[in-house]
Amino acid sequence: MEPFQNKTCKITYKPLTMTADKKKHLGSVFFSFPDGSGMLYTLQGTAEPPKAEDTFLHELPAKTHHTLMLPVHNWLSKQQRFRVLMEILKPDKTDATMSLKGLEYIDVPALTKRDYKMSFFAYKEGHFNTKVTFSNVTSGEYLFYLVTYKVTSPGVLSEIKLETAVRRTALATVEVEKPLTTATCLSTECNCPDISAPTQHTVPGQSKSSLSFEYKPLRAGRSTARLTLSSNDLGYFHYDLVLKALPPPPEKTVHFNTCLGSSHSVPIKFINYSHFKTEYSCKTDCPDFIVEEKVGASPGSHAGSEASMEVCFEPHQLGEVRGQLSLASGIGGEYIFPLHGICHSPKPQGPFSIKAGRNITIPFKNVFLQTTAFSFQVDNPCFTVKEVDTIVSKKTYNILISFSATSRGSAGPWFGKLTISSQRSEGHSKPCSWVYYLRGYRPESS
């Protein structure tokens, strides 16, 4: 310092403890000069309570766990143990649907810092102002943070994948925890008619409860849906459902058995699970199986309503025949019935009785898929038959047969056989015959 000059000396006050009861931190500084004189200053300091180390604002959806790391500094040259106090400043009244959690103590080595892990969770929307204080368990010195949480509407809690075949059931469950001491009633809502769940579900106080629901699709394909549980005290629980419906497996095979030229009808039953009156279109992939174009079904409950229709097996060739019946509706889905028929050679029919001098008609249907020529033969000249060149496919022709008794003294009766034979054609590679036994009589010999 030059003679006769003034200099400023900067003194820093950095208290490590607060002052209380109007007490102050006391100190002094002494400046000595070369001539042996000196100057002494007395220092006084007041340390007020600390300000917040930092302020945080976090926005998150309800029912989402949030973790925050708070740095805790040790300003002393020795280890400190801090007690942790977590307070909810706003709202004034809270319950167990909102929680702050963390360890009760944290030890921090000298002149270092450690991160404190704090978790937050809220069931419902709202603003929550919190304060986290770290106090020295011995001296009472402390530091603190202010943390504000803005809780918005909850997002999707989880994604649930369900896969099953049409009209088969896939089950799933969601678990709900109730932190309050009283029971709560959850309302259930889903925008998918293929999902069945209880409309109300009660969760006991301070417990976990599982809600079961089922997926029973009526039509094949992929889709998504939203399942929502809600209550006044717990808010909303949203779940996304990823749904996959596989094509329906075939129903049980329906069996038929008849002869060529005849038919066999079998009733077929199915369950309509649609909640509406439904009309199904019907078709087969084989002309030997005949069905109506439409069949109606009553609205079905959860268990469904039974409907039925009739399938007629009218084969056009000998041997084994396989086909498939399809029932389809835009809201009821599709049903597949395998069809299995066995066609035998025609069985002889009769005898058909004819009075002398009279005639009868025997219906004969062309069961082949194209117009066909048939030959008509009788083995007894007493019987005559009116032949026809061809018969249109699937049309019935009435065969006219006459009987004339011989004039000789025989009392009868007279017997004969009518044989109708198909010619070999593109539709049927093997010729086939139908036999009708005939019986002629005079009135007095009947």
Side-chain angles (χ1 to χ4, degrees):
M1 179 183 292
E2 300 296 328
F4 304 107
Q5 288 186 347
N6 294 324
K7 291 289 184 178
T8 300
C9 178
K10 183 177 180 180
I11 299 175
T12 300
Y13 174 52
K14 189 175 182 181
L16 300 180
T17 59
M18 294 178 292
T19 57
D21 299 330
K22 297 182 180 181
K23 294 181 180 180
K24 298 182 178 181
H25 291 139
L26 301 178
S28 64
V29 59
F30 177 76
F31 298 96
S32 62
F33 298 101
D35 61 0
S37 62
M39 298 179 66
L40 176 66
Y41 290 90
T42 300
L43 305 176
Q44 294 182 352
T46 302
E48 297 179 348
K51 295 182 179 181
E53 295 287 308
D54 205 344
T55 300
F56 298 98
L57 173 63
H58 295 282
E59 182 174 328
L60 68 154
K63 298 180 179 67
T64 302
H65 289 276
H66 183 268
T67 299
L68 179 63
M69 306 301 290
L70 299 175
V72 182
H73 301 269
N74 181 0
W75 59 88
L76 299 180
S77 56
K78 61 180 180 179
Q79 177 174 299
Q80 290 193 76
R81 164 164 283 201
F82 295 95
R83 184 191 298 272
V84 185
L85 175 63
M86 289 179 284
E87 301 173 273
I88 301 173
L89 306 180
K90 185 180 179 182
D92 297 333
K93 294 182 179 181
T94 59
D95 54 32
T97 59
M98 176 269 181
S99 65
L100 286 172
K101 292 182 179 180
L103 297 176
E104 186 178 359
Y105 294 94
I106 181 173
D107 293 317
V108 184
L111 302 176
T112 60
K113 71 173 183 178
R114 289 185 63 189
D115 288 334
Y116 179 80
K117 182 178 179 181
M118 180 185 73
S119 63
F120 170 84
F121 183 85
Y123 278 85
K124 297 187 296 184
E125 303 95 314
H127 281 77
F128 301 89
N129 297 334
T130 67
K131 180 180 180 181
V132 186
T133 303
F134 301 90
S135 302
N136 185 296
V137 296
T138 303
S139 64
E141 299 294 327
Y142 65 93
L143 57 91
F144 69 95
Y145 290 90
L146 296 176
V147 185
T148 298
Y149 291 98
K150 181 182 178 181
V151 182
T152 59
S153 298
V156 176
L157 298 182
S158 66
E159 182 181 86
I160 302 173
K161 295 182 179 180
L162 292 168
E163 178 178 323
T164 186
V166 168
R167 294 185 295 278
R168 301 295 190 269
T169 300
L171 297 175
T173 59
V174 292
E175 190 173 70
V176 178
E177 182 175 4
K178 178 66 188 295
L180 303 177
T181 56
T182 57
T184 191
C185 184
L186 292 169
S187 297
T188 307
E189 181 181 357
C190 186
N191 58 357
C192 177
D194 294 336
I195 297 295
S196 297
T199 56
Q200 302 285 334
H201 179 69
T202 301
V203 183
Q206 293 184 329
S207 66
K208 292 183 179 180
S209 179
S210 295
L211 170 70
S212 297
F213 62 96
E214 65 179 38
Y215 170 49
K216 192 173 188 178
L218 300 183
R219 302 179 64 189
R222 298 174 182 266
S223 61
T224 58
R226 172 68 60 84
L227 174 66
T228 299
L229 312 181
S230 62
S231 72
N232 291 332
D233 50 2
L234 297 182
Y236 292 90
F237 300 80
H238 298 302
Y239 303 90
D240 272 352
L241 309 181
V242 179
L243 310 174
K244 182 179 180 182
L246 304 175
E251 307 293 327
K252 291 183 178 180
T253 301
V254 184
H255 297 277
F256 302 81
N257 197 322
T258 190
C259 299
L260 189 64
S262 299
S263 63
H264 180 200
S265 295
V266 175
I268 291 181
K269 297 180 180 180
F270 64 98
I271 303 297
N272 175 39
Y273 291 100
S274 170
H275 297 296
F276 305 94
K277 185 178 180 180
T278 308
E279 188 175 68
Y280 291 84
S281 61
C282 314
K283 64 179 181 179
T284 64
D285 60 357
C286 175
D288 290 356
F289 298 99
I290 304 169
V291 294
E292 297 289 338
E293 292 184 356
K294 304 285 185 181
V295 61
S298 301
S301 60
H302 179 70
S305 64
E306 186 177 83
S308 65
M309 62 173 299
E310 194 170 82
V311 178
C312 179
F313 176 51
E314 189 177 81
H316 75 281
Q317 59 186 350
L318 299 176
E320 190 176 43
V321 181
R322 292 189 180 273
Q324 179 176 281
L325 167 66
S326 299
L327 307 179
S329 163
I331 58 176
E334 184 179 19
Y335 297 76
I336 302 297
F337 288 88
L339 307 176
H340 175 248
I342 296 179
C343 178
H344 305 281
S345 298
K347 293 181 179 180
Q349 300 182 51
F352 295 88
S353 296
I354 311 173
K355 186 184 296 186
R358 302 290 182 88
N359 55 59
I360 64 169
T361 58
I362 298 177
F364 176 77
K365 185 175 183 179
N366 176 11
V367 296
F368 301 122
L369 302 181
Q370 65 284 318
T371 300
T372 305
F374 295 90
S375 64
F376 299 79
Q377 294 180 343
V378 289
D379 61 355
N380 186 332
C382 294
F383 299 93
T384 57
V385 60
K386 184 179 179 181
E387 294 197 30
V388 63
D389 292 336
T390 59
I391 301 177
V392 178
S393 171
K394 300 298 181 179
K395 294 298 182 179
T396 299
Y397 174 74
N398 289 322
I399 305 168
L400 183 65
I401 303 173
S402 302
F403 169 61
S404 297
T406 59
S407 58
R408 299 177 182 179
S410 175
W414 290 263
F415 296 95
K417 181 175 67 174
L418 167 66
T419 302
I420 303 176
S421 302
S422 65
Q423 304 301 311
R424 188 188 303 269
S425 68
E426 180 182 352
H428 50 287
S429 58
K430 295 181 179 180
C432 191
S433 298
W434 288 260
V435 174
Y436 299 86
Y437 291 113
L438 308 174
R439 175 181 177 271
Y441 65 95
R442 283 194 176 99
E444 61 272 13
S445 63
S446 59

